[in-house]
Amino acid sequence: MKADIEIIEAVKSGHRAAFSELVIRYQRPLLRLVMRFSKDQSVAEDIVQDSFIKAYKKLHTFEGRSSFKSWLFQIGVNTAKNKLRDKSSDFMNIEDVHLGVAGNLDSNLMHQDLSEMIRSEVDRLPDKQRTALKLRIFEDLSFKEIAKIMDCPYDTAKANYRHALMKLKERVERNKQLKTWSEKEMSHFFEVRGRLVEVEQ
Amino acid sequence: MNRFDQETRDEWWIEFMEGEVSPSLERDLKFLLCHSQEDRQRLNEYKELRSEIEASDDSYLPENGYYYQNQHDSIMAAIENIEMDEPRAPIHERPFISKFKKFRPLFGTGFTALAFVIVGVFALKSIELQKSEDQGLIEFKELVQNEAEQKILLAAQESHRSIGFESETDMLRELAAQKFGQLSDAQAKALMNQLLE
């Protein structure tokens, strides 16, 4: 199997079809990565396609200081962020507007399992922390690769990851406590047509 | 333990869990783990959280081979119609730079003059320093010693609290003495300059 750098040299020297090998090698990992930022598969597909096209156009700027995979992932993450930013500025779904969640908190927590709660807390993290966390835990990348993808210093990538984990720990623990409390308290109620009714003792 | 201590410790344990600590800190942390149940628990909580996050991954990938074949074909079709960007010219051939080529001798003179000014400033400074070196060096060393001790003590307080010493003060004294003992006269001087700035 040819090394990435050999294929890249071939493409740079005009052998366009050689790029096909890179697409085959990285389309799955890139799609998986992109789908962590966009749950919508059709949007993710567009992002993957755009990323490969950008990579092809800019291939001359790739100097081999990092791996092609990190470089491509960097393009993918940036393309995803731009695309999602554009999409969110186009319109805002009325259901996405939060109008004070305190009243729903207890009943939401009751129906949420741990994984769901973690997923929603991960989504609430600041952008850079969330990216560092996803790249580290789900993609199993080194901090050097994460730094390259996020275009930031190595220590910053690590700090973002650490802060994400510390924040998550605090929030998940608080939610677990709240859930336990809610379950205990809610055992005195039952639900009738979406309303909570107190059980007479 | 205050909040700052806890945060610092959490940072250690996360780095430890990820295999990102230096060998010496790793040794100290393993020692700490043997003797502190609270820290063992903290580390386990982070490991558990990491596994829970990993388990929460709900991403899926299409499994149909045709899906990837189609995607591959459409990418390849797209790049058939586009051209790769030209490689960037070497810096001296870029338009902005080449425009100023005729001024190159002027740049040379400018740089030389600037170099002279910088060297002059440093020379003057070193003459001043030389003059007062004898009496200044003693005061200077004292100052550096105080500052360095304070910095080392503070840093040590944050990062190596009571690891392997009978008391915190013992550890801090030992660390401060070690660190300062390693400074040469030149390093001490450089450190003083930094501190005075």
Side-chain angles (χ1 to χ4, degrees):
Chain A
M1 193 169 78
K2 275 189 179 174
D4 288 353
I5 196 75
E6 291 175 71
I7 300 171
I8 290 163
E9 286 310 319
V11 179
K12 278 181 181 176
S13 62
H15 187 39
R16 198 186 291 247
F19 194 72
S20 159
E21 182 59 35
L22 292 174
V23 176
I24 292 168
R25 244 175 236 188
Y26 295 111
Q27 65 183 143
R28 283 170 201 250
L30 184 61
L31 181 66
R32 194 180 55 209
L33 174 78
V34 168
M35 284 185 70
R36 298 199 186 287
F37 296 90
S38 164
K39 304 282 177 202
D40 185 335
Q41 193 178 322
S42 67
V43 175
E45 282 167 20
D46 285 350
I47 294 169
V48 168
Q49 174 144 349
D50 287 356
S51 304
F52 273 112
I53 292 170
K54 279 182 194 166
Y56 177 77
K57 279 184 81 173
K58 302 278 177 198
L59 206 57
H60 278 300
T61 65
F62 177 73
E63 291 165 346
R65 283 198 297 257
S66 62
S67 67
F68 176 74
K69 183 183 162 193
S70 303
W71 186 69
L72 180 67
F73 274 21
Q74 184 185 19
I75 295 174
V77 168
N78 288 336
T79 310
K81 282 181 183 168
N82 291 338
K83 198 127 197 161
L84 296 174
R85 197 168 37 228
D86 291 348
K87 269 184 89 72
S88 67
S89 62
D90 283 349
F91 62 90
M92 181 171 262
N93 190 335
I94 191 69
E95 288 179 4
D96 291 339
V97 180
H98 294 273
L99 298 169
V101 292
N104 299 328
L105 192 62
D106 294 345
S107 73
N108 282 347
L109 279 171
M110 278 202 53
H111 296 105
Q112 226 179 19
D113 72 1
L114 182 63
S115 293
E116 232 175 282
M117 183 222 288
I118 289 175
R119 277 196 295 275
S120 79
E121 289 300 343
V122 168
D123 287 340
R124 281 181 57 207
L125 287 171
D127 190 33
K128 286 179 181 168
Q129 293 179 12
R130 188 175 60 239
T131 306
L133 184 99
K134 287 183 173 183
L135 293 175
R136 179 68 182 178
I137 296 187
F138 298 138
E139 297 299 323
D140 202 21
L141 296 175
S142 69
F143 285 108
K144 194 178 160 199
E145 289 173 303
I146 296 171
K148 166 73 188 160
I149 292 167
M150 293 177 67
D151 198 18
C152 67
Y154 177 80
D155 285 332
T156 310
K158 277 211 298 193
N160 274 313
Y161 173 74
R162 277 198 316 265
H163 287 140
L165 219 52
M166 285 158 71
K167 210 172 277 183
L168 269 182
K169 184 172 188 299
E170 199 181 316
R171 288 179 183 173
V172 169
E173 272 170 10
R174 194 191 53 213
N175 284 350
K176 276 180 183 171
Q177 282 169 3
L178 209 52
K179 192 178 177 192
T180 314
W181 177 84
S182 309
E183 278 167 357
K184 199 174 139 207
E185 291 299 312
M186 289 302 191
S187 63
H188 302 299
F189 296 85
F190 65 95
E191 213 170 313
V192 178
R193 291 184 206 140
R195 292 183 175 197
L196 293 172
V197 180
E198 195 171 357
V199 179
E200 285 186 23
Q201 299 292 320
Chain B
M1 189 184 296
N2 62 34
R3 185 178 161 77
F4 181 75
D5 284 338
Q6 189 58 65
E7 268 185 27
T8 311
R9 281 178 178 235
D10 282 358
E11 288 181 359
W12 287 348
W13 295 126
I14 293 171
E15 299 246 324
F16 181 82
M17 179 175 73
E18 300 296 334
E20 290 284 326
V21 288
S22 65
S24 65
L25 184 57
E26 188 181 359
R27 204 176 47 240
D28 290 345
L29 290 177
K30 280 181 178 167
F31 181 81
L32 189 58
L33 276 182
C34 294
H35 294 87
S36 160
Q37 193 185 342
E38 193 191 336
D39 284 293
R40 272 201 303 275
Q41 190 189 337
R42 205 74 187 163
L43 176 62
N44 284 336
E45 284 169 3
Y46 274 111
K47 282 182 176 173
E48 199 180 320
L49 175 66
R50 200 189 195 284
S51 317
E52 285 169 353
I53 298 170
E54 229 172 327
S56 75
D57 184 11
D58 64 342
S59 69
Y60 72 98
L61 278 180
E63 286 173 7
N64 189 337
Y66 289 114
Y67 171 86
Y68 294 102
Q69 186 61 49
N70 286 340
Q71 189 183 47
H72 165 270
D73 293 348
S74 72
I75 291 168
M76 291 309 290
I79 67 165
E80 280 299 319
N81 302 319
I82 58 168
E83 286 306 318
M84 214 184 283
D85 288 352
E86 289 297 315
R88 290 190 83 183
I91 191 155
H92 58 277
E93 286 173 18
R94 289 182 197 163
F96 179 78
I97 301 291
S98 57
K99 222 185 246 182
F100 291 96
K101 259 184 183 171
K102 57 186 171 187
F103 299 116
R104 197 182 283 173
L106 217 58
F107 286 148
T109 318
F111 281 126
T112 315
L114 191 65
F116 272 117
V117 171
I118 292 169
V119 170
V121 169
F122 274 106
L124 280 175
K125 275 199 169 182
S126 69
I127 289 167
E128 278 172 23
L129 199 68
Q130 190 71 38
K131 274 183 191 169
S132 58
E133 196 173 43
D134 295 337
Q135 65 196 77
L137 194 62
I138 300 163
E139 288 171 24
F140 173 67
K141 273 195 166 181
E142 234 168 69
L143 179 71
V144 171
Q145 187 165 8
N146 290 341
E147 288 285 346
E149 271 176 359
Q150 204 177 353
K151 280 197 168 184
I152 292 163
L153 291 179
L154 278 175
Q157 210 166 11
E158 305 311 343
S159 61
H160 285 84
R161 173 160 288 199
S162 306
I163 302 173
F165 289 90
E166 280 189 351
S167 74
E168 201 171 77
T169 323
D170 282 353
M171 179 195 70
L172 297 176
R173 272 198 201 126
E174 177 67 24
L175 267 177
Q178 271 177 15
K179 292 282 178 189
F180 196 72
Q182 288 162 2
L183 294 178
S184 65
D185 280 358
Q187 282 173 322
K189 236 187 225 182
L191 187 55
M192 185 184 90
N193 277 339
Q194 271 183 350
L195 293 171
L196 288 176
E197 274 170 17

